[in-house]
Amino acid sequence: TSLGKVTIIGSGLIGRSWSALFARRGYDVCLYDTVSSQLEVARSVLDTLLVQWGDEDWLKEGENAQTVLARIRYSDSLAESLNKAVYVQECVPENVQLKESVFKQIDELVGDDTILASSTSCIIPSKFTKGLKHESMCIVAHPVNPPYYCTLVEVVPSPWTTPETVKKTIAIQKEIGQSPILVRREVNGFVLNRIQYAILMECWRLVEEGVCSPEDADIALTEGIGMRYAFMGNFETMQLNANGAVDYCQKYGDNIKKICLEQQELGARDLSGPTLDKVSQYLNSKIPIDKLEERRAWRDDWLKAIAKEKIKR
Ligand code: NAD
């Protein structure tokens, strides 16, 4: 029994991942693209991916690659793709004019109860949904790549998105196995990138100030705090690293504030110049540019192992 129809707009890297996730859960998926050769690529990538998922027990019990693949259709007609859709996930390239034009087209073709979600990584939703007939149904649902191992989805409403749309989007994301968080108001970088960039900028400054090498800054993450981050956040760390968070803040709060004021004084740096030379020299000797694909496969393998461990526990 189908859970309803979901339309994915754009069949690139992210559109294909969403298709697999929705189909795995039992939705009928229609994958739309303006470039028909892209749809052919998507079909073959999804065939391979779902067979792999079948082999790896990454599908629902009693299902196999064929049952899931049979739920995915491919279309180059927007009207047909959107017909009777309960949820739309837009995945076209990251360009605000393009998003605006695609949302305008979708707006003309959908019913009043369809949720219109965008995968955008950094454009706030009010920049491309204002004035649409269905603006109250528009929202950002930003995934992390690859979404089937990194399950975070940042749900970002615009000022005119209804609470009902927010609630339904979060429910659907949970239903397909993702981990949605609510970004209560529009901010640049949403939540993930704001945290990521704060860490990146500190690593950059540590190298620029000659405190440590780029390699050692990376080791501080992979062998230090990163060991925790896959299963425990900073706030939970506060609770466990003292006799509760209140005790932690009493013990360490002043020192943390002092260090953060030092960081603030050092300020944001341009990501260029001699520090970039140093960082890229280290990276290019470790991972030559012609070995990036191999290294991405290595990364995905790690992510898979961690994701499986998380599900097991
Ligand atoms: P991509 O370039 O791999 O795929 C984009 C697809 O959109 C292509 O197949 C293209 O043919 C199609 N397209 C272009 N114009 C279209 C139109 N008018 N209608 C329908 N399809 C159209 O891009 P991607 O990496 O999948 O990224 C898509 C979105 O997801 C972007 O907004 C990006 O910021 C976001 N995102 C990407 C990542 C990532 O790691 N790649 C992670 C999170 C979010």
Side-chain angles (χ1 to χ4, degrees), residues 127-144:
K127 293 261 188 251
F128 57 91
T129 64
K130 195 178 171 113
L132 296 179
K133 273 189 288 187
H134 302 101
E135 62 175 16
S136 68
M137 303 299 287
C138 295
I139 195 159
V140 163
H142 169 229
V144 182

Side-chain angles (χ1 to χ4, degrees), residues 268-300:
R269 302 294 167 88
D270 288 330
L271 301 190
S272 60
T275 303
L276 176 57
D277 295 342
K278 220 186 258 177
V279 169
S280 63
Q281 210 173 16
Y282 148 64
L283 290 171
N284 290 336
S285 68
K286 183 175 173 175
I287 316 153
I289 298 289
D290 62 351
K291 294 275 189 304
L292 288 181
E293 269 317 306
E294 272 167 53
R295 196 67 174 172
R296 288 186 184 120
W298 168 88
R299 172 199 65 193
D300 288 356

Side-chain angles (χ1 to χ4, degrees), residues 12-14 32-35 38 91-94 99 119 121 143 145:
L13 188 66
I14 291 299
Y32 165 80
D33 204 297
T34 45
V35 183
Q38 274 293 89
C91 316
V92 303
E94 189 77 347
K99 303 264 185 208
S119 303
S121 305
N145 192 45

Side-chain angles (χ1 to χ4, degrees), residues 204-242:
W204 191 274
R205 277 188 305 248
L206 287 167
V207 171
E208 198 151 282
E209 297 289 313
V211 175
C212 67
S213 66
E215 184 173 11
D216 285 354
D218 269 0
I219 294 174
L221 290 170
T222 58
E223 307 308 318
I225 50 178
M227 286 297 287
R228 295 179 188 137
Y229 279 175
F231 60 94
M232 193 172 100
N234 266 333
F235 286 132
E236 187 165 345
T237 299
M238 286 167 74
Q239 183 79 350
L240 297 192
N241 279 14

